DNA sequence: TCCTCCCTGTTC
DNA sequence: GAACAGGGAGGA
């Protein structure tokens, strides 16, 4: 499920395939895959891709048009969304939600596919004005890899569990279930601790852990659970180094205790009762 | 602030 | 044939 490291990997691997390409067509195969605030997909036609980036878990295509307001194509992949290119004329698959026609820099025709098995993902074509009407966008928290260690503590407010706060995209952008559990284990802090009761020292430790885990995962092209692949169809490798995520009931790799699995905010949560307090 | 719903494929 | 996976929207 694409979180920050996976989206970063997709942006990096997709960019060489689409750099300088111009949208020539857009076909939406499932209405609900388009965000309600979006302009029609075919407003992209004639626009050239200048950059592929990321903000939190959102994948951003920066576009250059003729005269009108600059557009961006924003993709939220949620659990099972995939973006990849194909050369020539490929047929949409069972789970293809959108197909774009592209004319590459060298004149070659390509396609950009948005596949999404569970159809939770969304595409959004937007001007800056539209983005500013999207409260999720305007309330996105800072990028964890650009935060200083002391920046986390003041953002951890309220009595809710620390893990719930970490997954709140307005607190810090890009962290989902996997990296929340893994970061908390690395920092040695229980996911159940009330967010507002974290000490300055613990918040620094947690920020360090988050950055370490995210960087390590990016260096291994992310984690592949079931569906995730980068734009070249390759799986990541970070799932092989999970210490708690998906390991409920198994032995803690550090102390041997049995890892506890609970539900927190409706999400599976795994932690070590001895290593995390 | 917490719960349910959205989706579909896989596992129990 | 039910439980589970899960980010975010929207409602209680």
């Amino acid at each position: 499920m694409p979180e920050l490291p996976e989206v970063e990997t997709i942006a990096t691997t997709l960019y060489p395939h689409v750099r300088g390409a111009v949208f020539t067509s857009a076909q939406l195969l499932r209405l609900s895959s388009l965000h309600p605030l979006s302009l029609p997909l075919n407003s992209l036609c004639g626009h050239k891709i200048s950059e592929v980036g990321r903000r939190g878990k959102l994948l951003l295509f920066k576009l250059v048009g003729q005269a009108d307001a600059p557009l961006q194509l924003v993709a939220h992949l949620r659990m099972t969304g995939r973006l990849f290119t194909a050369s020539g004329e490929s047929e949409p698959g069972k789970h293809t939600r959108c197909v774009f026609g592209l004319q590459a820099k060298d004149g070659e025709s390509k396609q950009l596919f948005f596949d999404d098995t569970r159809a939770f993902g969304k595409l959004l074509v937007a001007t800056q004005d539209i983005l500013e009407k999207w409260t999720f966008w305007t309330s996105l928290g800072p990028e964890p890899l650009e935060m200083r260690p002391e920046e986390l503590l003041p953002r951890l407010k309220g009595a809710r569990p620390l893990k719930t706060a970490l997954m709140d995209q307005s607190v810090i952008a890009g962290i989902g279930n996997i990296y929340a559990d893994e970061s908390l284990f690395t920092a040695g802090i229980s996911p159940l601790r009330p967010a507002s009761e974290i000490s300055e020292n613990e918040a620094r430790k947690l920020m360090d852990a988050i950055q370490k885990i995210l960087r390590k995962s990016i260096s291994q092209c992310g984690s592949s659970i079931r569906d995730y692949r980068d734009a070249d169809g390759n799986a990541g490798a970070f799932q092989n180094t999970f210490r708690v995520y998906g390991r409920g009931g198994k032995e803690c790799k550090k102390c041997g205790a049995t890892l506890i699995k609970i539900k927190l905010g409706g999400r599976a949560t795994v932690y070590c009762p001895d290593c995390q307090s």
Side-chain angles (χ1 to χ4, degrees):
Chain A
M1 44 231 67
E3 301 179 28
L4 188 154
E6 292 76 30
V7 179
E8 179 81 24
T9 302
I10 293 166
T12 308
T13 53
L14 196 55
Y15 184 51
H17 294 288
V18 301
R19 174 171 49 189
V22 175
F23 284 96
T24 54
S25 66
Q27 190 185 5
L28 184 65
L29 301 174
R30 186 173 183 127
L31 206 57
S32 65
S33 294
L34 193 65
H35 192 285
L37 287 173
S38 181
L39 295 169
L41 273 191
N42 60 15
S43 356
L44 290 175
C45 294
H47 289 252
K48 182 197 279 190
I49 299 172
S50 62
E51 199 183 323
V52 181
R54 177 193 62 73
R55 174 79 172 98
K57 300 175 196 172
L58 299 172
L59 191 67
L60 308 176
F61 294 77
K62 306 239 164 105
L63 307 175
V64 184
Q66 290 85 13
D68 36 4
L71 291 181
Q72 286 198 54
L73 170 62
V74 182
H76 197 324
L77 303 174
R78 292 286 188 98
M79 265 77 69
T80 56
R82 289 188 54 203
L83 276 162
F84 56 95
T85 56
S87 51
E89 295 291 313
S90 303
E91 289 301 311
K94 186 179 175 188
H95 300 118
T96 301
R97 308 306 181 197
C98 179
V99 189
F100 297 100
L102 291 178
Q103 178 152 40
K105 254 193 329 195
D106 59 8
E108 190 199 345
S109 288
K110 284 188 177 181
Q111 292 169 297
L112 175 65
F113 282 83
F114 174 54
D115 280 23
D116 186 12
T117 306
R118 277 151 78 178
F120 272 25
K122 295 273 186 271
L123 298 180
L124 169 67
V125 180
T127 58
Q128 199 57 38
D129 282 356
I130 290 176
L131 283 180
E132 274 154 32
K133 288 179 193 145
W134 186 20
T135 50
F136 178 77
W137 174 266
T138 53
S139 63
L140 266 179
E143 285 292 325
L145 294 177
E146 293 166 13
M147 285 170 75
R148 292 189 307 276
E150 65 274 18
E151 278 184 88
L152 183 59
L153 184 65
R155 309 188 68 82
L156 297 176
K157 291 174 186 150
R160 60 182 169 169
L162 180 57
K163 182 186 174 186
T164 308
L166 277 187
M167 289 177 60
D168 180 340
Q169 302 298 297
S170 70
V171 170
I172 179 168
I175 296 179
N177 208 26
I178 294 174
Y179 298 102
D181 276 9
E182 293 296 318
S183 301
L184 286 165
F185 177 83
T186 297
I189 306 172
S190 164
L192 295 166
R193 289 274 299 286
S196 55
E197 290 176 21
I198 299 305
S199 72
E200 200 179 317
N201 190 38
E202 286 173 320
R204 282 171 182 272
K205 228 158 111 181
L206 181 54
M207 195 68 241
D208 283 349
I210 289 168
Q211 294 185 337
K212 187 179 142 196
I213 297 277
L214 292 178
R215 288 207 180 93
K216 200 169 157 202
S217 180
I218 290 171
S219 77
Q220 298 185 29
C221 300
S223 312
S224 289
I225 318 279
R226 305 177 196 91
D227 305 272
Y228 164 76
R229 294 292 182 277
D230 72 16
D232 295 319
N234 298 314
F238 191 67
Q239 68 280 4
N240 301 322
T241 60
F242 286 165
R243 292 192 283 178
V244 284
Y245 179 84
R247 300 193 65 249
K250 296 188 176 155
E251 273 188 5
C252 173
K253 291 183 177 177
K254 202 164 142 194
C255 77
T258 302
L259 296 176
I260 292 177
K261 180 177 176 179
I262 56 168
K263 281 255 181 198
L264 206 49
R267 303 289 167 258
T269 299
V270 182
Y271 67 100
C272 175
D274 290 352
C275 297
Q276 295 174 256
S277 55

